[in-house]
Amino acid sequence: MASRPINAWIVDDDQSVRWVLEKALKQADMETRSFERAEHLLEALDDGPPDVLITDVRMPGMSGIALLERLQGSYPELPIIVI
């Protein structure tokens, strides 16, 4: 039985960074979903969390650190990589 691919979400206000991360993760057989702002990711969580989250530190609106702090309470098991 094949296991399902890892679902990795990316949050970065820089489109070129999102593009590079998407390409690298897809080459590693991961499914990706990208967001320009942390607020957009929070809306998408209504459908369930990803397996891993990669977020920029400095973004307009909510920062990656603020996003990390907000998600730790609701999703303590979610691995979050802050870049």
Side-chain angles (χ1 to χ4, degrees), residues 9 19 26 38 42 68 71-72 78 83:
W9 288 7
W19 184 85
K26 285 179 182 179
L42 292 172
L68 170 69
L71 293 178
Q72 282 181 331
L78 176 62
I83 54 173

Side-chain angles (χ1 to χ4, degrees), residues 29-46:
D29 294 324
M30 294 184 192
E31 292 182 0
T32 63
R33 187 167 175 190
S34 295
F35 304 89
E36 185 176 355
R37 299 178 60 99
E39 294 85 357
H40 299 159
L41 172 129
L42 292 172
E43 292 172 11
L45 284 171
D46 290 340

Side-chain angles (χ1 to χ4, degrees), residues 33-79:
R33 187 167 175 190
S34 295
F35 304 89
E36 185 176 355
R37 299 178 60 99
E39 294 85 357
H40 299 159
L41 172 129
L42 292 172
E43 292 172 11
L45 284 171
D46 290 340
D47 299 330
D51 297 315
V52 63
L53 172 63
I54 302 167
T55 182
D56 189 10
V57 172
R58 299 167 105 190
M59 297 180 287
M62 182 182 291
S63 73
I65 300 300
L67 177 61
L68 170 69
E69 291 170 350
R70 182 155 176 188
L71 293 178
Q72 282 181 331
S74 301
Y75 304 96
E77 301 294 321
L78 176 62

Side-chain angles (χ1 to χ4, degrees), residues 15-34:
Q15 190 276 332
S16 61
V17 172
R18 291 193 313 270
W19 184 85
V20 168
L21 288 171
E22 285 176 2
K23 295 299 177 195
L25 294 171
K26 285 179 182 179
Q27 285 183 342
D29 294 324
M30 294 184 192
E31 292 182 0
T32 63
R33 187 167 175 190
S34 295

